[in-house]
Amino acid sequence: MIIYLINNLLCAFLLYLAYSFLLEGEKMHHFKRWFLLGSLIFSMVIPLITIDISFLQINEQVQTYQLLFEEAGLAQQQEIINGATVLSPEQVTPKISPAYQLPVIFGSIYCLITSFFLLRFLRNIYIMNTQGKGCSFTCYRGVKLVLISERLTPHSFGNSIYVNKDDYEQGKIAEEILIHEYFHIKQKHTLDIIFIELLISLFWFNPFMYLFRNKIRLNHEFLADERVIEHNKYIIPAYQTLLVNTIDQHKSTRISCNFNYLETKKRLIMMTKKTSPRRAFYKKAVLVPVIIAAICIFSAKTTAGILPETTGVKQTISKVEEQIVTPGKGISEYEQNEYNQIVSKYGSEGTTSKGYTKWDWKSTPLSKEDKDRLYVLYVQMTKDQRMKQ
């Protein structure tokens, strides 16, 4: 989980840099909108994508076995029996360490903070949906224009535009401002805002989520301004003056579209910019290697098979597996025959005077090699296999 979160953060950082240096200053707002939203989804999905790399899995297996031997202390405590290592269940059972409790602690903290952000998010949605409750409203170009007595900057949310009632009735709100908010609604910018706010509630620890939110909001303003200017191509200077005059300190809700000085300054500059189709194409082309690099760097790694050049490593793993002896797991028929052949070298089955079966031992001393091998095989036998010996 920790690796996923780190990859998510770094992937978001890479895409944010790509946007800042390649796209932000260009007049290609529709593409920028989908790139910003896609970058958020991309940074969450890519760390979950797996790439088949066989060699990596082999190395991981070797490291796993090395750790197993080190943790069990086999270098000092193991019994070497004919090249085999006998591990008792106590030896292979991992010890519980206080370090294992850290994920539980961090998980609890994350859930607690995330719950707070989610509740705040739901509260803001509720406030926005109910802020016009009990207020008068009218229809403007097919959308709801809510007249609020509270002093506030005109803004939109959902399918409604919210303006001050007195300013609207006295004609203080310019038609261009209403058209601007109307295009916010028609382009469904509220859905983008809800999406990024929800992600921030879940990934509150990722600073790039907040930076992406700012870029998305600003690009929404670019998109609405573009449509207003297309509506009347001869009002750019007048429209710029109108935006400057609209900046005020009235109360506005953070989750809604609104005006502020820094955003307005960037909007004024963007209105006079032009991006040629060729320049836009080159900018998009440069993004291709960036995306490919992100996939290669931040995706998870796995394997579907064994590469030919890793055969030697595979044999090493097999030898390591052969050295681990599990008591009572059972032995094959071949190993049972091996056990019987070793035993037959030192004795044979006979009968007593009363007809009972007995074992006659020869005077040949039991070699250490045979003794060790017999012990290994016997340890691995099941209860039924031992009863037959």
Side-chain angles (χ1 to χ4, degrees), residues 14-15 17-23 26 28 31 35 278-294:
L14 177 62
L15 296 176
L17 288 180
Y19 177 83
S20 300
F21 286 103
L22 296 175
L23 301 179
E26 303 299 331
M28 39 198 294
F31 177 80
F35 179 84
R278 176 177 295 182
R279 181 180 178 86
F281 173 79
Y282 288 147
K283 291 283 185 175
K284 295 175 183 179
V286 175
L287 292 174
V288 175
V290 174
I291 294 174
I292 294 175

Side-chain angles (χ1 to χ4, degrees), residues 248-283:
D248 55 32
Q249 300 298 323
H250 293 323
K251 179 181 177 182
S252 61
T253 306
R254 184 173 178 79
I255 200 172
S256 63
C257 302
N258 51 71
F259 298 92
N260 62 58
Y261 175 77
L262 293 179
E263 283 188 359
T264 302
K265 180 180 178 181
K266 293 180 180 179
R267 289 166 60 188
L268 297 178
I269 296 174
M270 184 58 69
M271 288 179 196
T272 59
K273 276 195 172 185
K274 291 184 178 181
T275 298
S276 65
R278 176 177 295 182
R279 181 180 178 86
F281 173 79
Y282 288 147
K283 291 283 185 175

Side-chain angles (χ1 to χ4, degrees), residues 54-65:
S54 301
F55 183 71
L56 287 181
Q57 187 192 38
I58 296 300
N59 283 341
E60 290 173 0
Q61 290 179 11
V62 173
Q63 293 173 3
T64 300
Y65 282 114

